[in-house]
Amino acid sequence: MADGDQDDGGAKSEEAAAPKSKLKLIIIAVAVLLVVAGGGTWFFFFRGHAEEQHAEAAVAPKPPNFIEVPDMLVNLVGVPGERVQYLKVKLVLEVKEEKQIEVIKPTLPRVTDIFQTYLRELRAGDLAGSAGLFRLREELTKRVNAAIAPNQVTAVLFKEIVVQ
């Protein structure tokens, strides 16, 4: 009988050890989860911000540079017999660097000629809505870049557009 009592005692000690080992396992799992969560939080929220702040402070954005294009007034293509419509445009060319201004200014007569030739082929319907103006801006940018190559214009900006 002594053997049976020892077996019961051994089983009781194993049962007592099992909850303690489960408790240790849960504590270890929670600790690992907290470490992983803390590392993830640091990675997503704190890791790159210090570098970005230093980079922003070190590199100040350069102000854009602009070149005024002489005002243009052209007549639009229309159906014979209808009244003639006119387009008045004031444009500005945006360039990246100030040194490009002095290189591009001597070519402004060529740029004006290319713009006027293109604008005279437009109809009033071509300029309708924001989509029409977006297409006009893209076409003018493409044409000015072809005229002043190898220099590049960042954008053609409208100061004024009047269709009358």
Side-chain angles (χ1 to χ4, degrees), residues 8-125:
D8 289 338
K12 288 180 184 178
S13 66
E14 286 178 14
E15 289 173 5
K20 285 187 177 184
S21 65
K22 284 183 182 179
L23 182 63
K24 285 181 183 179
L25 185 62
I26 290 173
I27 291 173
I28 291 171
V30 169
V32 168
L33 183 63
L34 287 175
V35 169
V36 169
T41 303
W42 174 82
F43 181 78
F44 286 113
F45 292 111
F46 301 113
R47 179 181 62 102
H49 294 294
E51 296 169 4
E52 291 174 9
Q53 290 173 354
H54 294 295
E56 289 175 8
V59 179
K62 295 180 182 178
N65 298 293
F66 300 105
I67 303 171
E68 294 279 334
V69 176
D71 298 353
M72 290 179 265
L73 178 66
V74 297
N75 56 331
L76 299 173
V77 174
V79 179
E82 289 185 358
R83 73 177 179 91
V84 178
Q85 289 186 309
Y86 296 96
L87 171 66
K88 181 179 179 183
V89 180
K90 290 184 181 180
L91 300 170
V92 176
L93 306 177
E94 182 180 354
V95 293
K96 290 181 182 178
E97 298 176 2
E98 191 173 345
K99 64 183 179 181
Q100 287 180 313
I101 294 174
E102 297 306 318
V103 175
I104 293 173
K105 275 191 177 183
T107 63
L108 278 180
R110 178 177 290 133
V111 171
T112 304
D113 177 60
I114 288 173
F115 284 173
Q116 289 217 3
T117 305
Y118 176 72
L119 293 173
R120 287 182 180 274
E121 294 297 320
L122 294 176
R123 296 177 188 82

